[in-house]
Every structure is written in structure tokens, then in C-alpha cells.
Amino acid sequence: MKKYKVGYTTGVFDMFHVGHLNIIEKAKEQCDYLIVGVSTDEVVQKYKNKTPVITFAQRMKIVEAIRYVDKVVPQTTMDKTVAWQELKFDAIFHGDDWKGTGYYNECEEKLKELGVDVVFIPHTPGISSTEIVEKIK
């Protein structure tokens, strides 16, 4: 397994669950310094067309408390190259449920030009924020 100096992962982290923790933990195993971007409510509304259940401030606080996380930043755009310009990570980690999607194929191409590896982490089966919300209903 390749070890990176600075890694980056992002998420909404709404209704925080073990799947979120698994991605963060597996990302940290592969880098010395892990930065986590937490999507703002505006970003979530724009690309998922819904508002998170947990407030942005609370989601930031939850992610900041995780021992695998070295730094937490707001994710204000889905464009990962914008984040790279500020954070200069050498790898981005994401759940493999995004692998092969049009968005991430384009993202991989852009990041490769910047020397950034895209590393997909296996999705934790049987758990998602959407499923939790459905169970609650």
C-alpha cells in the first residue's frame, strides 16, 4: 500500500455512522496527515437537492473529534481542484460507490494532471445516512 504525505477526503457526514468512520480510518492508514472537508449545507443542497439533518457546525465538530483527522475544513465546492489549490494534498480518498461515475471520472483526470492520486475505499455495506433517515421515518 502506497503511503501519502497529505490526504484529503470529503463528505456530508450527516447522521454520522460507521461507514463514515471506516472511510476516514482507512484514509488515515494511507497518509501521514489527513484533511477532511465537510460539505456545507449550500453544497449539499446544490448537488443532492436536500438539506442535511445535522447542522453544518455540529457536523464539523463531530469530524474534528475523530482521532484519525488532523484538520477539518469546509467543503464549499464539489470541484476538488479548488480544494487542492489551497490544501496541496497528494491523494484524495473516496468511497468506491463513486467509482466510475461521470463526476469522479472527470475528477480523476483533472487531479491526475496535478499529480494527485484518487484512492477508492470500499463502501461499508448496509449503512448509509439515507437508510438511517428511512428507518427513522
Side-chain angles (χ1 to χ4, degrees), residues 44-123:
V44 178
Q45 185 64 46
K46 190 172 183 177
Y47 89 95
K48 286 192 172 190
N49 202 29
K50 63 182 181 181
T51 302
V53 175
I54 307 299
T55 68
F56 173 70
Q58 291 173 1
R59 291 182 286 117
M60 288 280 290
K61 189 171 183 176
I62 290 165
V63 174
E64 285 171 347
I66 299 166
R67 70 177 178 204
Y68 308 113
V69 176
D70 296 298
K71 181 178 182 176
V72 180
V73 297
Q75 178 179 231
T76 58
T77 176
M78 291 295 289
D79 186 341
K80 306 306 186 215
T81 61
V82 171
W84 180 84
Q85 289 168 0
E86 181 183 335
L87 303 169
K88 303 296 191 228
F89 46 86
D90 23 42
I92 187 167
F93 302 94
H94 219 295
D96 65 2
D97 50 328
W98 284 83
K99 190 174 187 172
T101 64
Y103 170 75
Y104 252 88
N105 287 343
E106 183 181 324
C107 189
E108 278 187 274
E109 281 182 37
K110 288 180 181 178
L111 290 172
K112 188 176 184 178
E113 292 173 14
L114 300 171
V116 176
D117 288 347
V118 177
V119 179
F120 289 100
I121 296 172
H123 179 75

Side-chain angles (χ1 to χ4, degrees), residues 1 3 9 13 16-36 63 66-70 93-94 121-122 124:
M1 172 173 29
K3 187 79 167 186
T9 191
F13 304 110
F16 197 90
H17 54 73
V18 74
H20 294 135
L21 185 60
N22 288 342
I23 286 186
I24 291 170
E25 181 180 16
K26 297 295 180 202
K28 180 60 177 180
E29 287 173 1
Q30 297 180 59
C31 64
D32 296 325
Y33 190 84
L34 181 62
I35 304 168
V36 179
V63 174
I66 299 166
R67 70 177 178 204
Y68 308 113
V69 176
D70 296 298
F93 302 94
H94 219 295
I121 296 172
T124 304

